[in-house]
């Protein structure tokens, strides 16, 4: 709780200076014409706001685990927290490129090509999955209610990569209303922070609650009416890091319950696209992701 409180204070303090920086560089959201009318008022709202919570998380987590990260101690457990930090930065950079392309690039209003973005996500996810399996040796799988590890062998790598890509896109789809993605991600990460504590993964639990505190600091500026939007910079970083945290605990089947809203958001898009193609242009929902319906 104290770490979450400290992260909240740090995020809230540097929120206003960041807002001024984003406005100075004219990093305003471009709203697509087909989106609901209520969203037109968001036109020009600063985006790439994910930086607001990513920086305090990296700073605090780095300081708390500095001794382990620089290799002063023999234990590699503390260094394992480096993985979610690196994944967060990697997906945040990809999201930032997408945000920048959508604002100032050639594909203004659209961002990166979907194929390009997906390909980079897959590469990042496969590397992360390999590190999880063979470098930090995360548990393969725990089933809820059972207290023994289920070994699944090499197939863990493609499964883990799929979970990371799916979760990063699911949280990205969820980001569409003021405060929505931030609050849902904070709730899910707090849940996995509790699981990490019960499994005595103290380093991972610290990281989780620092991130939760930083997210509530971000929500101070993001709740309705939002002063800034996290953009793909924040949503893709959050989704990927949520998946990595779940995989590090071994309790990743719990994502189906804990992250039920991002799952529903992603499934609504899949249903809409499939139905649209099968019926020659009819829509199952008025609009997807489902929070627009």
């Amino acid at each position: 709780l104290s770490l979450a409180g400290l992260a909240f204070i740090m995020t809230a303090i540097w929120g206003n200076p960041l807002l001024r920086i984003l406005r100075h560089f004219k990093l305003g959201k471009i709203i697509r014409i087909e989106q609901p009318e209520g969203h037109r008022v968001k036109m020009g709202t600063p985006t790439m706001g994910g930086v607001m919570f990513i920086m305090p998380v990296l700073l605090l987590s780095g300081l708390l685990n500095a001794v382990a990260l620089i290799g002063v101690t023999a234990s590699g457990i503390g260094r394992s927290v480096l993985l979610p930090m690196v994944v967060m930065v990697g997906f945040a950079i990809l999201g930032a490129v997408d945000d920048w392309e959508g604002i100032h690039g050639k594909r203004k209003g659209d961002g990166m090509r979907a194929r390009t973005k997906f390909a980079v996500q897959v590469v990042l996810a496969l590397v992360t999955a390999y590190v999880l399996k063979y470098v930090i040796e995360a548990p393969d799988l725990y089933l809820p209610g059972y207290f023994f590890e289920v070994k699944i062998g090499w197939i863990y790598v493609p499964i883990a990569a799929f979970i990371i890509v799916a979760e990063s896109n699911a949280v990205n789809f969820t980001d569409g209303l003021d405060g929505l993605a931030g609050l849902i991600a904070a709730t899910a990460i707090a849940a996995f922070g509790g699981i990490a504590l019960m499994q005595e993964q103290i380093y991972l639990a610290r990281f989780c609650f620092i991130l939760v505190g930083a997210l509530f600091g971000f929500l101070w500026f993001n709740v309705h009416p939002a002063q800034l939007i996290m953009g793909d910079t924040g949503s893709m970083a959050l989704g990927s890091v949520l998946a990595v945290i779940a995989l590090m605990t071994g309790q990743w089947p719990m994502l189906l319950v804990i992250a039920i809203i991002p799952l529903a958001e992603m499934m609504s898009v899949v249903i809409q696209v499939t139905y649209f193609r099968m019926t020659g242009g009819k829509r199952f929902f008025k609009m997807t992701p489902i929070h627009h319906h």
Side-chain angles (χ1 to χ4, degrees):
L1 285 173
S2 61
L3 288 172
L6 183 57
F8 171 83
I9 291 165
M10 287 180 66
T11 309
I13 285 172
W14 97 289
N16 279 318
L18 178 65
L19 273 170
R20 287 197 289 272
I21 291 168
L22 294 174
R23 286 178 184 136
H24 174 75
F25 288 104
K26 297 179 180 175
L27 298 173
K29 179 74 173 173
I30 294 175
I31 305 296
R32 297 203 313 263
I33 292 170
E34 67 269 21
Q35 286 195 354
E37 282 188 25
H39 278 239
R40 306 284 168 80
V41 297
K42 298 182 190 295
M43 182 73 83
T45 303
T47 188
M48 298 175 75
V51 177
M52 185 182 285
F53 58 81
I54 290 169
M55 296 301 288
V57 170
L58 295 176
L59 178 62
L60 273 176
S61 295
L63 288 172
L64 274 174
N65 299 287
V67 173
L69 292 176
I70 61 177
V72 175
T73 58
S75 170
I77 298 171
R79 284 197 288 276
S80 66
V81 81
L82 195 60
L83 181 61
M85 290 168 68
V86 170
V87 168
M88 178 185 274
V89 172
F91 276 83
I93 291 170
L94 175 60
V97 171
D98 188 26
D99 286 335
W100 182 266
E101 279 288 307
I103 299 165
H104 294 298
K106 293 177 182 177
R107 291 170 54 81
K108 193 173 286 189
D110 292 321
M112 290 173 69
R113 292 186 184 279
R115 280 185 198 170
T116 308
K117 186 162 73 169
F118 182 72
V120 177
Q121 282 179 309
V122 170
V123 170
L124 289 173
L126 283 169
V127 172
T128 305
Y130 180 86
V131 173
L132 280 164
K133 176 69 177 171
Y134 297 108
V135 180
I136 69 170
E137 297 178 349
D140 279 11
L141 168 64
Y142 288 123
L143 294 172
Y146 296 89
F147 301 97
F148 56 88
E149 184 183 350
V150 180
K151 294 287 186 181
I152 57 175
W154 64 267
I155 201 169
Y156 175 89
V157 173
I159 290 173
F162 172 78
I163 292 168
I164 293 166
V165 172
E167 206 61 48
S168 68
N169 285 307
V171 176
N172 192 13
F173 286 138
T174 307
D175 182 32
L177 296 175
D178 295 351
L180 182 63
L183 189 56
I184 288 164
T187 308
I189 291 163
F192 277 107
I195 290 170
L197 274 178
M198 287 190 284
Q199 296 184 171
E200 298 184 0
Q201 294 173 292
I202 305 303
Y203 292 98
L204 186 59
R206 283 178 184 166
F207 177 83
C208 289
F209 289 107
I210 288 169
L211 181 50
V212 169
L215 279 170
F216 275 97
F218 168 77
L219 285 167
W220 186 270
F221 300 91
N222 183 242
V223 292
H224 185 75
Q227 297 179 60
L228 85 167
I229 297 165
M230 71 167 68
D232 283 18
T233 309
S235 60
M236 289 181 65
L238 277 181
S240 59
V241 87
L242 172 59
V244 169
I245 290 165
L247 289 160
M248 286 177 74
T249 64
Q251 301 278 2
W252 47 267
M254 292 293 290
L255 276 169
L256 295 171
V257 179
I258 292 171
I260 185 68
I261 297 176
L263 176 64
E265 297 272 6
M266 185 168 63
M267 290 306 298
S268 71
V269 174
V270 172
I271 291 166
Q272 182 85 321
V273 172
T274 306
Y275 189 79
F276 188 86
R277 287 177 178 172
M278 287 175 63
T279 59
K282 292 183 181 179
R283 297 175 187 270
F284 190 86
F285 300 102
K286 291 178 182 176
M287 189 175 179
T288 55
I290 200 168
H291 59 255
H292 288 316
H293 170 69

